[in-house]
Amino acid sequence: MTNKLLSHDQGSDSKAVDRRGVLRGAAAIAAATMTIRSASGATETPFGQTGAPTRSTNPLPLGPLPGSRYPDSHLESAHPKVSFGPAGFPAFAGTMAVERVATGMRWAEGPVYFPAGRYLLFSDIPNNRIMRFSEDDGHLSVFRRPSMNSNGNTIDREGRLITCEHSGRQVTRTELDGSVTIIADKYNGKKLNSPNDAVVASDGSIWFTDPVYGIGGYYEGLKAEPEQEKHNVYRVDPKTGDVKVVVDDFVEPNGITFSPDEKRLYVIDSGFTDGPDIPSHIRVFDVEIGSGKVSNGKVFAEMPKPTITDGMRADTAGRIWCSVGWGDPNEDGVRCYAPDGDLLGKIHIPETVANLCFGGQQRNRLYICGSTSVYAVYTSAQGAMKP
């Protein structure tokens, strides 16, 4: 009995020594790993530290803009007034006014509305976050940070978020379980420049623009050299995931949308940011969404320089609503064009406007990303709600 006890104790001592040795070895490996990670981390730019929240003791007030009355003078028809409200301009919806619904951003962009949750997501690019505005109670919160300096957002037919990311130089999809899938990050084996805006067709194909704004400095992304020779418009095949160029002659392709019947593709060229003799306009193409064939491109609408347009959406009647800013402050806001390119009217916003989208349960509330704030106005139009 004694011998068995001694033998057992000796075995325990031996195992204890072995365990201590293993633990010491594991600690050494862990320390080495941390050293490697630290060394590696020192050579990488931290994605989550490209901005800081905006602090203000006197935030811009929420609610209807100062001086608003019915009909709101911020709505300007391009045609002579012949009836109650701005004639011929579908921004007018009776007893309404342009409202500021959220503020505190550095550069609000890429709005997208999720009808199932009655909330708006939008990017705050320099602050490296996606924000969420709840329409039912007006609550503003952070949806994602870091967001890889997200810019344009849209929604696919399955209700999933599609995001263009500057820092990641990629287009991603947020799955219904919250995981993130990379949709496109390279073309011909080289990194994309900085995907800017996207639209999803009814067949599931994803179309996006790829200028160089997000790699031009450290404010809206991470400074880097472009690897793509041209600033292209791309299509991602819904079945194979192949990324193909559909248009390659833009200076800086920006906002993108389809007509409601998906027979026309609209793409903004904001190349005026690169020089005074470069375009500031919207182009329109005939398009076959299934094959990705784009043809018969022409200028749809010219912007009054030095302003540019950045983002746009279509309504159910085929009218195009686009942002305006960066130039004459009297032009800051939204423009609405008929399908033939005729200017119907303007919505004046007291900040440069980058992008917009339709929302609300009736798809008749226009959400407007204007620099530090998000604005909203009820219209007599309905968004096509084809992302």
Side-chain angles (χ1 to χ4, degrees), residues 262-298:
E262 297 184 321
K263 292 182 178 180
R264 307 180 92 190
L265 174 70
Y266 297 86
V267 184
I268 290 169
D269 195 336
S270 53
F272 178 70
T273 57
D274 295 4
D277 299 323
I278 303 179
S280 177
H281 59 212
I282 301 171
R283 292 170 64 185
V284 61
F285 304 84
D286 294 332
V287 62
E288 296 176 5
I289 62 167
S291 66
K293 181 181 178 181
V294 173
S295 60
N296 302 323
K298 63 181 180 180

Side-chain angles (χ1 to χ4, degrees), residues 68-320:
S68 294
R69 63 180 297 276
Y70 306 140
D72 191 349
S73 61
H74 293 93
L75 309 181
E76 177 189 352
S77 175
H79 301 281
K81 183 175 181 179
V82 295
S83 63
F84 181 67
F89 181 29
F92 180 69
T95 56
M96 45 64 65
V98 178
E99 305 168 54
R100 183 183 283 113
V101 297
T103 191
M105 278 58 70
R106 290 193 183 276
W107 182 235
E109 247 279 19
V112 56
Y113 184 79
F114 283 76
R118 292 196 64 191
Y119 60 83
L120 180 82
L121 296 183
F122 63 94
S123 298
D124 183 4
I125 304 177
N127 280 329
N128 203 357
R129 59 187 182 173
I130 296 176
M131 306 298 292
R132 176 178 49 222
F133 171 76
S134 296
E135 187 179 59
D136 54 355
D137 65 359
H139 180 66
L140 181 68
S141 60
V142 175
F143 173 78
R144 176 180 297 162
R145 180 172 182 174
S147 67
M148 306 294 278
N149 297 105
S150 63
N151 189 337
N153 296 285
T154 192
I155 184 174
D156 70 8
R157 296 311 193 276
E158 284 72 45
R160 298 172 296 188
L161 173 67
I162 306 295
T163 301
C164 295
E165 300 175 354
H166 285 178
S167 297
R169 300 171 73 168
Q170 61 193 12
V171 179
T172 64
R173 181 178 64 226
T174 301
E175 308 296 347
L176 298 179
D177 65 0
S179 60
V180 176
T181 301
I182 296 175
I183 300 300
D185 61 352
K186 292 182 177 65
Y187 176 68
N188 279 347
K190 297 180 180 180
K191 288 184 180 180
L192 298 172
N193 293 323
S194 59
N196 187 286
D197 209 351
V199 64
V200 182
S202 58
D203 67 347
S205 58
I206 299 172
W207 304 59
F208 68 94
T209 58
D210 190 39
V212 294
Y213 295 131
I215 56 174
Y218 295 105
Y219 187 63
E220 294 189 27
L222 301 174
K223 189 173 182 179
E225 291 298 320
E227 295 187 19
Q228 297 297 329
E229 181 181 356
K230 295 183 177 182
H231 305 167
N232 299 316
V233 180
Y234 295 94
R235 175 185 181 271
V236 183
D237 188 272
K239 295 180 180 178
T240 66
D242 290 343
V243 180
K244 301 293 185 184
V245 173
V246 294
V247 190
D248 67 356
D249 62 349
F250 277 83
V251 180
E252 297 290 0
N254 208 315
I256 183 170
T257 197
F258 288 115
S259 60
D261 60 7
E262 297 184 321
K263 292 182 178 180
R264 307 180 92 190
L265 174 70
Y266 297 86
V267 184
I268 290 169
D269 195 336
S270 53
F272 178 70
T273 57
D274 295 4
D277 299 323
I278 303 179
S280 177
H281 59 212
I282 301 171
R283 292 170 64 185
V284 61
F285 304 84
D286 294 332
V287 62
E288 296 176 5
I289 62 167
S291 66
K293 181 181 178 181
V294 173
S295 60
N296 302 323
K298 63 181 180 180
V299 174
F300 172 74
E302 292 280 4
M303 294 299 112
K305 292 180 179 179
T307 63
I308 64 168
T309 180
D310 196 329
M312 60 184 164
R313 292 292 190 277
D315 66 21
T316 54
R319 293 174 292 239
I320 297 298

Side-chain angles (χ1 to χ4, degrees), residues 314-334:
D315 66 21
T316 54
R319 293 174 292 239
I320 297 298
W321 302 68
C322 70
S323 67
V324 182
W326 291 103
D328 182 354
N330 293 317
E331 295 290 345
D332 286 349
V334 174

